[in-house]
Amino acid sequence: MKFPKIIEFKNNCNITLCKTLLSVAPEEGCALLLGKEKQGRLYKSQGIWEINLIWPCRNIWEPGIFNLHEPRTNNKKLSKSTSSPSKANRFCIDPLEQITAQRWARKNQFKVLGNAHSHISSNDKTPSSIDLIWATAACLMIIIDKNELMQAWWINNEKQFHELEIIS
């Protein structure tokens, strides 16, 4: 998949996403984003991905899951929550849910475009150091803060992130 520039929510998926992610507070919510790249010469040049369906997922994070390592750093920019990991500041989507979503998406002419999660304990909608470390490949990531504000990001293979425009 190419790098998107614009994320477009269809069928009130932005509202569904927000309610889904915040419904599990005080834990981080998580979901997969299903949709497609918009077709046509104009759309392809604009890099628009449309989200047609939210696939809610259960946060299965627990200490040591899948040998995902916690960063060790003296960086004062890391939030206090980074020092005491819990489902309130970590998320992990069950791989079986991911496979099920991928199969369903293919069968229904969609793609799993990316994932979303909440930063329920902060106003920060940017990917955390943990989000970047645990991103295993280039991906679309949408983050919703505790005030129901969302932002879309493209995380590349070098663990750098770029802000994307959201339209609904």
Side-chain angles (χ1 to χ4, degrees):
M1 280 192 249
K2 296 177 188 172
F3 182 111
K5 296 176 187 163
I6 299 170
I7 304 303
E8 181 178 7
F9 283 97
K10 295 299 212 179
N11 308 317
N12 293 318
C13 281
N14 54 329
I15 295 167
T16 302
L17 180 61
C18 203
K19 290 182 184 294
T20 298
L21 296 183
L22 298 178
S23 69
V24 295
E27 295 180 357
E28 282 196 4
C30 50
L32 295 171
L33 308 166
L34 280 58
K36 52 184 107 175
E37 294 178 56
K38 275 196 139 175
Q39 297 301 312
R41 179 180 250 161
L42 175 65
Y43 296 128
K44 282 202 174 223
S45 68
Q46 292 177 338
I48 299 174
W49 286 8
E50 93 183 4
I51 296 173
N52 302 95
L53 183 81
I54 304 304
W55 190 281
C57 296
R58 193 170 51 93
N59 183 352
I60 65 164
W61 183 89
E62 60 184 48
I65 193 163
F66 306 125
N67 294 318
L68 295 172
H69 300 287
E70 294 290 328
R72 292 181 190 206
T73 181
N74 293 327
N75 186 344
K76 292 183 180 182
K77 282 186 164 183
L78 290 177
S79 68
K80 194 175 185 182
S81 63
T82 304
S83 61
S84 60
S86 73
K87 283 186 179 180
N89 53 42
R90 301 287 188 275
F91 82 99
C92 184
I93 297 174
D94 187 334
L96 293 176
E97 283 188 273
Q98 293 178 49
I99 291 168
T100 301
Q102 288 171 341
R103 287 182 178 155
W104 187 92
R106 273 194 300 268
K107 185 177 176 181
N108 292 279
Q109 286 77 50
F110 291 115
K111 295 178 183 178
V112 176
L113 297 176
N115 68 71
H117 69 281
S118 57
H119 283 179
I120 197 66
S121 59
S122 79
N123 294 325
D124 193 2
K125 302 177 297 292
T126 58
S128 69
S129 59
I130 295 293
D131 294 335
L132 296 174
I133 289 168
W134 289 355
T136 57
C139 66
L140 166 64
M141 181 180 289
I142 294 180
I143 300 174
I144 295 179
D145 71 11
K146 69 179 182 179
N147 296 315
E148 302 182 18
L149 300 173
M150 76 172 63
Q151 186 55 59
W153 305 95
W154 181 256
I155 299 176
N156 67 23
N157 288 324
E158 288 78 40
K159 308 295 184 177
Q160 299 165 331
F161 54 94
H162 308 278
E163 188 172 349
L164 307 175
E165 181 183 348
I166 295 177
I167 57 176
S168 37

